[in-house]
Amino acid sequence: MITNDIKLYENTALREKYYKYSHPCGLDIYVFPKKLSSSYAILAAHYGSIDNVLQKAGNTVTVPDGIAHFLEHKLFANEDGTDAFEHFSAIGADANAYTSFNKTAYLFNCTDNFDDSLKILIDFVTHPYFTKESVERERGIIAQEIKMYDDSPAEACYYGMLEGLYEKHAIRRNICGSVESIEEITPELLYECYRVFYNLSNMALIVCGDLSPERIIAIADEMLPREKSEAHAVRVRETALESPAAFMPRVSKKMKVSKPIFNIGIKDVDIPEDPLQRQRKDAAMSILNEMLFSRAGTLYNELFESGLISPEASYCYTINESFAFNSLAGESDSPEEVLAKTCEYLHSITADDLSEEDFERGKRVMYAEFVKEFDSTDSIANNMLSFIFDGADILGYSDIISDVTLDDVKQLFKDSFKDEYFTLCAVYPLDGQEQ
Amino acid sequence: MTPTKTYIRDSVSLTAITTDKFKTGMISLSLSLPLSQRLTAYNMLLSGVLRRGTEKFPSMALLNKRLDELYASAIEIKNARFGKNEMLVFSAEILDNAFIDGSTDVLDGTLEIISQMLLHPLKDADAFPQNIFEREKSNVTDAVKAEINNPKAYAANRCAELLHKDDPDFPTLEELLKTISETDAKTLYEYYLRLLASTELRFFYVGSESSESVSKIIKERFSEFNGSLTLPNPIKAEVFTELKTVTEDMPVSQGKLSIAFRTGVTAKDKEYFAAALFNEIFGGSPSSKLFMNVREKLGLCYYCSSSYDTYLGNITVSSGINVSDKDAALGEILRQLEDIKQGIISDAELTAAKKSIAHWYRQIYDYPFELFAFYGTRSLFGIEASPEEYGKRFDAVTRDEIIKVARGVTLDTVYFLRGTLAKTNGETEDCDE
């Protein structure tokens, strides 16, 4: 039975649909029916590492870097001394969680006992319990996680690029924080962040599997309050403060690497406020990237044939309500030369050189990559989450791709690659390191 | 979801699973040879050279353009080891016809490219083109050396080297680099001809097409292939000879512990199911003893987990820790093993391990590449069972059988990568930026 409260979203060409229901407690619930062996659920807060400023009694308070991630770790602990992982594994569900720049997601995947697993998920995420002792122990575990990432040249290079692009935006700081910043985290601060950002109106529940909306709503009714809480998230973000130019044109580090690795960042502060326009820009830029940087393209093949880059070079455009940038990553004996050749190539062509044929090819690749995401409950649920927190409808994206015109792409080409937008972060081998 | 196996010719077979469950299916082609000292280096070089262009698509750009036209059907060429065998695997995702315009045949187009890559690569008279070969030699050398960019993988590989140090068929990093540097375009081309003559082609397909129609395409596209049947090296457990302990310094902040054990049990043995459950209870999941104790109780690490090489019978534990905690972590890991040997396995641990493994086998049906991984390797060694049947065999295993396997587990190798950026009290200094 589909009531008026349940809204249906459908894409007939893709043969997919999902339901959205806004629970009286404020939580938006999304049910994506999919007949597969495994089911997947995510309960997520629209709260990530960049949300480190709180509004408190009219004042803004900055909390320690890495607190969203710390909270993610600690939420698994229950008041009775058990751990949510134990409850999941007792019924065969595989649980996990992750924190990104703008979201914290708690999830499980199971092939049996879905209802009970969902109850465990809702229960532990809605019942925080932090003690001094458990926070202390977690500090040691997270310090090891931070050190693990500190030792990763690829991570260092990616963050170095973000440090180069942004002057103030919190994205330039590590999602996990630092060994020093997590020292300042206390149970009280964790409770405070939880109260602000984990109110149900700032969260979403997404389930994907052989499931019906009625079944999920019944569980939500059993587990969740009937009314909205008074608290609500006030996001204080710093996009407006950023200038269009990259903060620093170069960032370089030295670590144990066999040869230099690099990330070229291209800053983009032209972020449409309207989610649909943002999606359009995302699709158009991704098509443009295919035309300019793909393995079928001139630039990649020139860099590759001349031995300047390793085969695994990659490119990616990222955009959401708070930040946008392009990044090109790879390994090279001379990252400076890769940057020079890339800029030279971008200067050497004009918008009119962008061909209809390459445009159609780029579109086809984007379409294929999109369709491929609909084969497993985990990729569907995780992708849906990104779309939902960006205010968009995942099933509308194939039309957005097909509506992009060559003129859109040409305009983006003209606007997006000014020299001052670029930063290059390279991680070089340590002095005296044998190569 | 039951696979059908068809012999298209003596040396060409297809295993197909016909299903409309997926928008993106897969096709793969595997060529397998018994492992030998120089094989890995040759396969690595070959997988680089074969993707550089073919008679019909004579440059990498043209090849990649064609793949884009086939709806981003990226063809990967990878080397994979199974016990003492190595496979060269070509694989691609295939977008189903229902979701593309009618004029493109992705499956046939992809098989055409795979056949071009394998049977008609760019070549000179009796060698691969010098410029392509040299470029790939340098790429492969870089890729092998880049192992140090990932300290966790580096430690695991050094541990594996120590584990196989008495077996000349497993090349060390140094030997691998030496073989790569000694190989020339002609030697590689000769290896390529030898490979084609001495292996069979095994195709694996998951998608909406019938086995017959996929067979028909393969028959046409690979009509020139004339290989022969080669028996794989049988599955055999490696045995313990002596305890190996190595510590190496690296300028990183965290220490990486990589410890290997011999179980003496492989996927061919009747104790296999108990051994896999042992691994699950020991360090295979977030409810395992290693996670609950080394991480949750003692707070020594972020990760501490074990993995089981079912073809060689080895279990490897890896963990990232403060350098000063090495003895504490090693001690705790061995204590947890000792506990299992003493019979300390709770009902909750046993149930969780069985449910976790059952879940693992059930979810295989959702992923074309997991189906390939399951059927593609097990069938080589005569293990014929569906994931579902296989998963059920763990149910009957008793606690005593697991304890018995645990008692046969021997510590073989302790490798420690000592981070020299760490101070002795465990505090780290900042990286040089």
Side-chain angles (χ1 to χ4, degrees):
Chain A
M1 174 199 67
I2 306 297
T3 71
N4 288 335
D5 299 341
I6 305 177
K7 195 171 169 201
L8 171 69
Y9 292 78
E10 196 163 15
N11 182 325
T12 45
L14 214 53
R15 301 179 196 170
E16 300 290 3
K17 63 181 176 190
Y18 67 87
Y19 302 95
K20 179 185 175 184
Y21 170 75
S22 296
H23 193 269
C25 69
L27 181 70
D28 284 339
I29 298 173
Y30 299 83
V31 180
F32 196 114
K34 191 84 187 168
K35 276 199 185 2
L36 289 171
S37 308
S38 58
S39 304
Y40 199 93
I42 308 180
L43 182 53
H46 196 177
Y47 165 54
S49 65
I50 64 173
D51 301 299
N52 63 343
V53 180
L54 302 184
Q55 285 278 13
K56 199 178 165 188
N59 298 317
T60 55
V61 181
T62 304
V63 291
D65 286 341
I67 196 162
H69 171 257
F70 205 109
L71 190 47
E72 173 229 301
H73 271 238
K74 268 330 314 160
L75 215 46
F76 280 88
N78 297 322
E79 193 167 355
D80 62 5
T82 62
D83 189 289
F85 277 124
E86 296 170 45
H87 297 292
F88 282 115
S89 47
I91 57 172
D94 186 9
N96 214 333
Y98 62 86
T99 305
S100 70
F101 291 120
N102 64 352
K103 54 185 174 283
T104 313
Y106 302 85
L107 55 96
F108 70 84
N109 136 43
C110 68
T111 42
D112 199 8
N113 298 320
F114 178 84
D115 292 3
D116 288 338
S117 303
L118 182 58
K119 288 178 191 173
I120 296 171
L121 178 71
I122 296 175
D123 185 53
F124 93 83
V125 176
T126 54
H127 290 92
Y129 181 70
F130 315 123
T131 64
K132 228 172 147 60
E133 296 70 39
S134 73
V135 166
E136 214 43 62
R137 193 169 50 242
E138 206 64 29
R139 221 189 294 285
I141 295 171
I142 294 175
Q144 290 308 321
E145 186 179 2
I146 292 170
K147 287 176 193 176
M148 177 181 81
Y149 291 129
D150 280 352
D151 285 342
S152 160
E155 286 274 326
C157 196
Y158 185 74
Y159 277 104
M161 173 193 76
L162 294 174
E163 289 157 21
L165 288 177
Y166 296 96
E167 182 183 0
K168 304 186 184 97
H169 197 295
I171 192 182
R172 72 195 306 279
R173 292 189 291 272
N174 200 300
I175 290 171
C176 299
S178 64
V179 174
E180 293 73 33
S181 76
I182 63 166
E183 277 299 323
E184 299 162 30
I185 292 173
T186 60
E188 294 71 34
L189 277 174
L190 289 172
Y191 277 119
E192 196 148 345
C193 289
Y194 184 89
R195 268 193 301 272
V196 173
F197 293 109
Y198 280 69
N199 75 72
L200 294 161
S201 309
N202 192 45
M203 299 177 74
L205 172 66
I206 299 155
V207 300
C208 181
D210 194 359
L211 302 160
S212 72
E214 291 76 13
R215 178 168 161 194
I216 305 305
I217 292 167
I219 296 170
D221 284 344
E222 184 190 330
M223 301 295 296
L224 293 166
R226 299 297 306 167
E227 280 162 14
K228 284 187 188 178
S229 92
E230 283 168 23
H232 63 285
V234 181
R235 221 172 292 285
V236 186
R237 282 180 178 170
E238 296 160 304
T239 327
L241 304 175
E242 284 290 336
S243 70
F247 173 49
M248 296 181 284
R250 293 289 184 281
V251 176
S252 83
K253 306 188 180 199
K254 285 184 179 173
M255 289 176 80
K256 184 85 180 171
V257 285
S258 55
K259 68 194 257 180
I261 60 169
F262 66 89
N263 264 274
I264 295 170
I266 309 164
K267 192 171 174 178
D268 181 1
V269 293
D270 180 22
I271 301 170
E273 251 181 66
D274 173 38
L276 196 65
Q277 292 307 318
R278 254 197 325 270
Q279 295 293 322
R280 287 181 63 93
K281 180 161 186 180
D282 183 28
M285 188 69 93
S286 303
I287 293 169
L288 177 58
N289 275 356
E290 284 300 321
M291 299 169 74
L292 296 173
F293 306 126
S294 93
R295 287 172 194 213
T298 313
L299 178 65
Y300 176 85
N301 282 282
E302 273 178 18
L303 293 173
F304 179 86
E305 304 263 352
S306 63
L308 206 49
I309 51 165
S310 301
E312 292 77 22
S314 64
Y315 51 95
C316 177
Y317 179 63
T318 304
I319 183 167
N320 63 37
E321 59 187 350
S322 175
F323 52 83
F325 58 88
N326 242 317
S327 72
L328 311 172
E331 189 188 63
S332 171
D333 285 322
S334 175
E336 287 290 344
E337 215 177 315
V338 175
L339 176 67
K341 295 262 191 226
T342 303
C343 291
E344 203 178 287
Y345 171 72
L346 293 170
H347 286 301
S348 74
I349 57 170
T350 67
D352 289 333
D353 294 323
L354 298 171
S355 71
E356 187 73 40
E357 184 201 337
D358 281 350
F359 171 68
E360 289 303 333
R361 187 172 49 77
K363 237 182 180 180
R364 185 175 273 218
V365 170
M366 287 309 301
Y367 168 77
E369 298 296 350
F370 176 68
V371 175
K372 285 175 187 177
E373 299 296 336
F374 287 92
D375 271 341
S376 71
T377 55
D378 57 334
S379 67
I380 291 171
N382 282 296
N383 280 316
M384 259 185 102
L385 176 63
S386 297
F387 275 86
I388 289 164
F389 281 170
D390 207 35
D393 161 29
I394 191 170
L395 293 181
Y397 197 67
S398 48
D399 284 344
I400 290 178
I401 296 172
S402 93
D403 288 347
V404 173
T405 65
L406 181 55
D407 283 340
D408 294 339
V409 167
K410 284 179 175 175
Q411 191 55 47
L412 269 187
F413 175 76
K414 289 178 194 160
D415 297 340
S416 305
F417 300 107
K418 300 209 170 97
D419 288 346
E420 65 266 29
Y421 298 168
F422 281 72
T423 193
L424 167 67
C425 175
V427 176
Y428 293 97
L430 297 167
D431 293 333
Q433 185 185 316
E434 224 182 284
Q435 275 201 54
Chain B
M1 297 286 277
T2 313
T4 341
K5 187 163 182 178
T6 317
Y7 276 91
I8 296 163
R9 291 209 300 285
D10 279 353
S11 57
V12 182
S13 65
L14 164 71
T15 304
I17 295 179
T18 301
T19 170
D20 55 8
K21 197 166 154 180
F22 305 111
K23 291 185 163 59
T24 313
M26 65 85 69
I27 182 88
S28 69
L29 165 59
S30 311
L31 293 83
S32 142
L33 280 182
L35 189 64
S36 58
Q37 170 87 64
R38 303 172 83 83
L39 188 71
T40 304
Y42 288 163
N43 278 343
M44 288 177 91
L45 287 164
L46 192 59
S47 56
V49 168
L50 296 184
R51 73 178 97 229
R52 290 297 300 278
T54 73
E55 280 172 21
K56 186 167 175 189
F57 307 102
S59 76
M60 197 168 69
L62 290 169
L63 202 56
N64 289 335
K65 249 183 198 156
R66 177 66 185 143
L67 286 166
D68 281 355
E69 283 164 20
L70 295 169
Y71 291 84
S73 163
I75 295 174
E76 287 208 53
I77 312 178
K78 280 192 173 160
N79 307 326
R81 269 188 208 161
F82 300 101
K84 288 195 65 179
N85 299 281
E86 194 167 281
M87 274 187 192
L88 193 63
V89 184
F90 296 71
S91 66
E93 293 181 327
I94 304 290
L95 201 60
D96 195 85
N97 281 331
F99 301 97
I100 62 184
D101 76 64
S103 62
T104 311
D105 187 339
V106 179
L107 180 61
D108 179 60
T110 304
L111 280 166
E112 179 188 27
I113 295 182
I114 295 176
S115 99
Q116 279 279 312
M117 284 173 158
L118 183 67
L119 305 175
H120 302 281
L122 291 178
K123 59 175 196 285
D124 294 339
D126 57 352
F128 288 114
Q130 195 60 27
N131 59 335
I132 289 180
F133 176 80
E134 289 303 330
R135 178 81 260 122
E136 290 309 321
K137 188 166 170 169
S138 131
N139 287 338
V140 169
T141 306
D142 285 348
V144 172
K145 286 184 176 169
E147 182 192 79
I148 64 154
N149 296 7
N150 180 345
K152 185 179 174 181
Y154 179 84
N157 290 341
R158 291 294 73 67
C159 179
E161 256 178 30
L162 290 163
L163 202 54
H164 305 310
K165 85 181 192 27
D166 297 324
D167 188 338
D169 290 341
F170 287 95
T172 62
L173 181 74
E174 246 171 73
E175 288 162 345
L176 189 60
L177 288 169
K178 186 164 174 281
T179 309
I180 293 167
S181 87
E182 286 169 358
T183 306
D184 60 26
K186 192 164 186 297
T187 321
L188 188 67
Y189 187 69
E190 284 160 1
Y191 164 73
Y192 159 77
L193 293 178
R194 223 166 40 243
L195 172 72
L196 285 187
S198 58
T199 186
E200 54 182 312
L201 304 184
R202 289 190 190 85
F203 290 90
F204 193 90
Y205 170 77
V206 181
S208 63
E209 298 290 327
S210 69
S211 172
E212 291 72 29
S213 56
V214 184
S215 287
K216 194 166 160 269
I217 303 173
I218 293 170
K219 200 171 177 180
E220 279 163 23
R221 294 288 179 196
F222 290 84
S223 60
E224 301 140 275
F225 175 77
N226 262 315
S228 58
L229 298 175
T230 312
L231 286 179
N233 268 327
I235 302 183
K236 199 168 147 228
E238 290 185 323
V239 291
F240 172 75
T241 47
E242 52 166 350
L243 179 64
K244 298 167 275 284
T245 307
V246 170
T247 295
E248 192 184 343
D249 287 348
M250 192 190 263
V252 290
S253 61
Q254 193 176 51
K256 308 281 183 195
L257 197 51
S258 208
I259 310 167
F261 301 88
R262 308 277 192 199
T263 68
V265 179
T266 71
K268 273 296 244 190
D269 298 310
K270 65 177 190 326
E271 297 88 359
Y272 167 72
F273 301 93
L277 281 164
F278 160 76
N279 178 59
E280 194 68 22
I281 292 167
F282 184 43
S285 80
S287 57
S288 67
K289 287 184 182 284
L290 294 184
F291 189 93
M292 292 308 285
N293 290 285
V294 185
R295 170 173 151 151
E296 292 297 306
K297 197 171 121 208
L298 300 178
L300 293 176
C301 61
Y302 170 62
Y303 67 91
C304 183
S305 62
S306 65
S307 65
Y308 179 24
D309 181 334
T310 61
Y311 298 103
L312 295 171
N314 302 320
I315 284 181
T316 306
V317 171
S318 50
S319 186
I321 52 174
N322 272 334
V323 168
S324 54
D325 288 334
K326 184 211 163 187
D327 291 341
L330 178 59
E332 187 62 24
I333 292 165
L334 297 177
R335 192 153 33 248
Q336 292 306 321
L337 171 61
E338 199 48 43
D339 273 5
I340 302 179
K341 289 187 180 190
Q342 296 305 316
I344 305 177
I345 300 172
S346 71
D347 289 345
E349 284 171 323
L350 185 60
T351 310
K354 285 186 175 178
K355 283 189 184 287
S356 169
I357 288 185
H359 166 66
W360 166 256
Y361 284 100
R362 283 193 299 258
Q363 58 85 43
I364 286 177
Y365 291 95
D366 289 351
Y367 302 93
F369 277 86
E370 298 255 1
L371 285 163
F372 166 56
F374 180 86
Y375 285 110
T377 54
R378 276 174 182 73
S379 65
L380 276 183
F381 303 104
I383 300 173
E384 304 291 348
S386 70
E388 199 179 2
E389 290 159 1
Y390 207 67
K392 283 184 180 152
R393 293 184 196 170
F394 293 85
D395 259 354
V397 176
T398 65
R399 184 185 271 103
D400 285 345
E401 287 168 327
I402 298 170
I403 295 166
K404 196 169 163 227
V405 166
R407 289 184 178 153
V409 171
T410 324
L411 176 65
D412 186 281
T413 303
V414 179
Y415 175 85
F416 187 53
L417 186 69
R418 184 164 53 197
T420 55
L421 298 181
K423 293 177 188 166
T424 43
N425 63 3
E427 295 289 307
T428 52
E429 292 166 354
D430 283 333
C431 288
D432 180 18
E433 290 194 7

